[in-house]
Amino acid sequence: MRQTEETMDTATRLLRLLSLLQSRPQWDGAELATRLDITPRTVRRDVTRLRSLGYPIDAEAGTGGGYRLGPGGRLPPLLLEDEEAVAVAIGLRSTTTTTVSGVEEAAVSALAKLNQVLPVRLREQVGAISAQVAQLPQGDLPTIDPDVLTTLAAACRDTEGLRFAYRTHDGTDSIRSVEPLRIVHTGRRWYLVARDRDRDAWRTFRVDRITNPQPTGQRYHFDNPPDPLAFITESTGIAPWNLLARVRVEVDAETARQHLPPTEVVVDLVDATSCELRYAANDLGPLVFQTTRIPWPFEILEPPELRAAVHAIGRRLLDS
């Protein structure tokens, strides 16, 4: 009985040690000993046990050194708080309807495994939340190859150049050599923001039109990259359309960005108490609708026909 209790204590301590190693990039040995209420020698022994079980734990001696959980090896168990477990379960349920092809089955499998170990009270909480959440149909959205998405994300993270085949909206095929900055998901589509090396210009690329991305091994550094989300809005929400609205608003830029859809409206700083909004469409109607939704005092700068249409609506409302 004593040996069994000691074994259980050791197992519990190893799980706690794994949890701590997951919680931040590096730990000092003395800190771990204090948190686990054991000696530094026991910490070293426990690290050796975890290594023997296949967990890659790196150790570095001296000032600034310590222990860290390395990449590769066996996937460590995720030790989640109640709120984290509920968030993961709800996220997995949402992923079953994602536009990233091939992950739906994996999401269902992962959700089944999680449900097996969730306490009843948490399963009921996840079920209650999911039952009250409805998702509007998104229509026919392009699906994304998860391997392509993973390769692009790794290149953004590692600042490594890429070459890939790309098909434009008119069906033209080309080979692009780029320096990736960020992947942006607008809720309907996935985009890669990158500097096109051959054209020496920033570009947006729809991820569903990218095939066979290959790392080039070339590293790079951006001195003054654009804001990825604003760049996507500029490229997809303004540049393709015929009519551009410019409206000066009496509110600071940060507040405007918090309240306006970032994929539809570009917010440009004017001064500490005002900013300029830009949004576009092919017809006057959507511009009028967007303008009348602005909740702060504003001045329409252009186009003049938008100003006339909004003024006409105002007069009609006053006369009603």
Side-chain angles (χ1 to χ4, degrees), residues 150-161 180-181 215 217-220:
T150 301
T151 301
L152 300 182
C156 292
R157 179 197 62 203
D158 300 335
T159 61
E160 182 176 5
L181 174 63
Q218 295 177 311
R219 303 289 179 172
Y220 54 87

Side-chain angles (χ1 to χ4, degrees), residues 8 28 83 88 105 126 167 179 185 254 260 274 287:
M8 291 177 63
D28 178 81
E83 295 84 357
V88 170
E105 184 177 345
V126 171
R167 187 186 72 257
E179 296 172 348
H185 185 216
E254 184 60 30
L260 298 173
S274 64
L287 297 187

Side-chain angles (χ1 to χ4, degrees), residues 140-219:
D140 295 328
L141 297 179
T143 56
I144 307 299
D145 185 334
D147 291 334
V148 169
L149 198 61
T150 301
T151 301
L152 300 182
C156 292
R157 179 197 62 203
D158 300 335
T159 61
E160 182 176 5
L162 285 174
R163 285 180 63 84
F164 52 74
Y166 189 70
R167 187 186 72 257
T168 61
H169 67 281
D170 61 3
T172 303
D173 294 319
S174 61
I175 300 297
R176 301 297 183 94
S177 177
V178 305
E179 296 172 348
L181 174 63
R182 190 71 54 83
I183 296 171
V184 176
H185 185 216
T186 66
R188 293 183 60 83
R189 290 188 174 89
W190 296 79
Y191 292 91
L192 172 69
V193 178
R195 193 181 76 86
D196 191 314
R197 293 173 61 90
D198 297 328
R199 294 160 179 79
D200 191 23
W202 288 97
R203 293 286 190 269
T204 60
F205 302 92
R206 272 181 46 175
V207 175
D208 59 295
R209 295 175 178 169
I210 294 175
T211 55
N212 195 32
Q214 298 293 326
T216 64
Q218 295 177 311
R219 303 289 179 172

Side-chain angles (χ1 to χ4, degrees), residues 260-287:
L260 298 173
T263 57
E264 299 175 12
V265 182
V266 174
V267 179
D268 298 318
L269 175 68
V270 175
D271 54 41
T273 60
S274 64
C275 60
E276 183 178 309
L277 310 182
R278 289 184 292 125
Y279 42 96
N282 279 337
D283 301 303
L284 192 61
L287 297 187

Side-chain angles (χ1 to χ4, degrees), residues 220-232:
Y220 54 87
H221 172 73
F222 296 131
D223 292 325
N224 188 28
D227 176 79
L229 192 55
F231 190 76
I232 287 291

Side-chain angles (χ1 to χ4, degrees), residues 244-311:
L244 171 66
R246 292 178 54 242
V247 179
R248 180 164 179 156
V249 181
E250 294 181 18
V251 71
D252 63 277
E254 184 60 30
T255 299
R257 293 190 181 102
Q258 291 174 359
H259 288 81
L260 298 173
T263 57
E264 299 175 12
V265 182
V266 174
V267 179
D268 298 318
L269 175 68
V270 175
D271 54 41
T273 60
S274 64
C275 60
E276 183 178 309
L277 310 182
R278 289 184 292 125
Y279 42 96
N282 279 337
D283 301 303
L284 192 61
L287 297 187
V288 172
F289 176 72
Q290 186 72 265
T291 304
T292 55
R293 295 171 60 195
I294 297 174
W296 311 284
F298 62 85
E299 176 190 2
I300 299 174
L301 304 178
E302 62 178 17
E305 55 266 36
L306 173 61
R307 187 185 305 110
V310 171
H311 286 179

